[in-house]
Amino acid sequence: AQKITQTQPGMFVQEKEAVTLDCTYDTSDQSYGLFWYKQPSSGEMIFLIYQGSYDEQNATEGRYSLNFQKARKSANLVISASQLGDSAMYFCAMREDNAGNNRKLIWGLGTSLAVNP
Amino acid sequence: GAGVSQSPSNKVTEKGKDVELRCDPISGHTALYWYRQSLGQGLEFLIYFQGNSAPDKSGLPSDRFSAERTGGSVSTLTIQRTQQEDSAVYLCASSPPGRSAYGYTFGSGTRLTVV
């Protein structure tokens, strides 16, 4: 069964500090992709970063990096130098590339991040 | 348009009424998804369209839910005889051909409230 687990319902971080949001996944497929999305209070879902299961390097996108530990099936999001605008819900999601044509994402329940000034 | 457009942005309906939610994907995006997000929850897959292939309806929660996609572009999600548990944000997303590393582009969603 596919599953994404985000164990931190809520997190607080001081502005300008780094924060790590945890994500573990469960799949029997060898080929898959891992995504992080941000959902501010306005509701839109914003793509942040992607990691493919065969990528040897950890993905980075600006202040976002993904700490990918394949053997542990974890894909934690690291946000460096937090900003007040980073306050939002953060979702981890997985796509199994062998799941036929359907590239649906399996989602975690999210982590609510609050950045304190 | 430049993004995925959903309408209406908000819908309040009485229990038992039918509702239609519309999604206009990014031009050229062959894949279109509908998801549902209930309060405080992650996203629940509903249905997937890919080009002219038969849709994957495996996520639809009951036969009150249906969706169509006309001409490979605009999609309509219809909920018949709405129930209070249908209250949620309905999100549409589209993606281009191929296994894009950039996931989907989401619309802003339709917030459905059944009273």
Side-chain angles (χ1 to χ4, degrees), chain B residues 11-45:
Chain B
K11 177 72 176 179
V12 179
T13 190
E14 291 182 352
K15 179 181 172 181
K17 300 282 190 183
D18 298 352
V19 295
E20 285 190 352
L21 312 180
R22 176 188 168 103
C23 173
D24 196 346
I26 292 173
S27 178
H29 280 196
T30 54
L32 186 149
Y33 296 78
W34 283 98
Y35 286 87
R36 178 170 71 175
Q37 185 177 27
S38 301
L39 186 64
Q41 299 294 309
L43 273 66
E44 173 191 6
F45 166 75

Side-chain angles (χ1 to χ4, degrees), chain B residues 6 18 36 53 74 76-77 110:
Chain B
Q6 289 189 248
D18 298 352
R36 178 170 71 175
S53 302
V74 173
T76 302
L77 177 68
T110 294

Side-chain angles (χ1 to χ4, degrees), chain A residues 35 37 39 42-47 49-50 61 91 95-98 100-110, chain B residues 31 33 35 37 40-43 45 48 50 53 56 58 91 95-104 106-108:
Chain A
F35 299 80
Y37 282 84
Q39 188 177 42
S42 53
E44 73 268 33
M45 196 68 77
I46 303 166
F47 167 77
I49 196 166
Y50 165 84
E61 291 283 351
F91 291 96
R95 180 193 68 214
E96 291 184 322
D97 292 338
N98 295 322
N101 272 333
N102 188 342
R103 293 175 285 142
K104 70 181 181 185
L105 297 184
I106 310 296
W107 298 78
L109 295 181
Chain B
Y33 296 78
Y35 286 87
Q37 185 177 27
Q41 299 294 309
L43 273 66
F45 166 75
Y48 162 67
Q50 173 62 278
S53 302
D56 179 344
S58 60
L91 288 163
S95 67
R99 299 195 185 282
S100 170
Y102 293 93
Y104 316 147
F106 280 87
S108 298

Side-chain angles (χ1 to χ4, degrees), chain B residues 32-96:
Chain B
L32 186 149
Y33 296 78
W34 283 98
Y35 286 87
R36 178 170 71 175
Q37 185 177 27
S38 301
L39 186 64
Q41 299 294 309
L43 273 66
E44 173 191 6
F45 166 75
L46 296 178
I47 188 168
Y48 162 67
F49 295 91
Q50 173 62 278
N52 296 321
S53 302
D56 179 344
K57 306 179 182 180
S58 60
L60 295 178
S62 77
D63 58 9
R64 295 186 297 104
F65 288 73
S66 63
E68 63 177 19
R69 187 179 184 191
T70 54
S73 181
V74 173
S75 176
T76 302
L77 177 68
T78 301
I79 309 173
Q80 296 178 310
R81 305 181 302 282
T82 52
Q83 304 294 313
Q84 288 185 329
E85 61 262 29
D86 299 334
S87 296
V89 176
Y90 290 81
L91 288 163
C92 175
S94 68
S95 67

Side-chain angles (χ1 to χ4, degrees), chain A residues 17 26-27 29-30 38 41 45 52 54 58 63 73 78 82 85 98 109 115:
Chain A
E17 293 186 350
D26 184 20
T27 181
D29 281 8
Q30 297 302 309
K38 171 184 178 181
S41 57
M45 196 68 77
Y54 292 116
N58 284 344
R63 293 186 300 110
K73 292 189 176 177
V78 180
S82 297
N98 295 322
L109 295 181
V115 180

Side-chain angles (χ1 to χ4, degrees), chain A residues 6-76:
Chain A
Q6 294 182 252
T7 56
Q8 307 152 313
M11 290 281 287
F12 293 91
V13 65
Q14 208 63 29
E15 192 179 8
K16 299 180 185 177
E17 293 186 350
V19 63
T20 297
L21 306 183
D22 294 342
C23 173
T24 58
Y25 59 93
D26 184 20
T27 181
S28 55
D29 281 8
Q30 297 302 309
S31 179
Y32 51 88
L34 297 158
F35 299 80
W36 278 91
Y37 282 84
K38 171 184 178 181
Q39 188 177 42
S41 57
S42 53
E44 73 268 33
M45 196 68 77
I46 303 166
F47 167 77
L48 295 178
I49 196 166
Y50 165 84
Q51 179 85 41
S53 58
Y54 292 116
D55 294 341
E56 295 185 354
Q57 302 285 337
N58 284 344
T60 61
E61 291 283 351
R63 293 186 300 110
Y64 304 107
S65 61
L66 201 151
N67 184 0
F68 181 46
Q69 298 187 42
K70 192 171 181 177
R72 299 178 61 181
K73 292 189 176 177
S74 76
N76 298 339

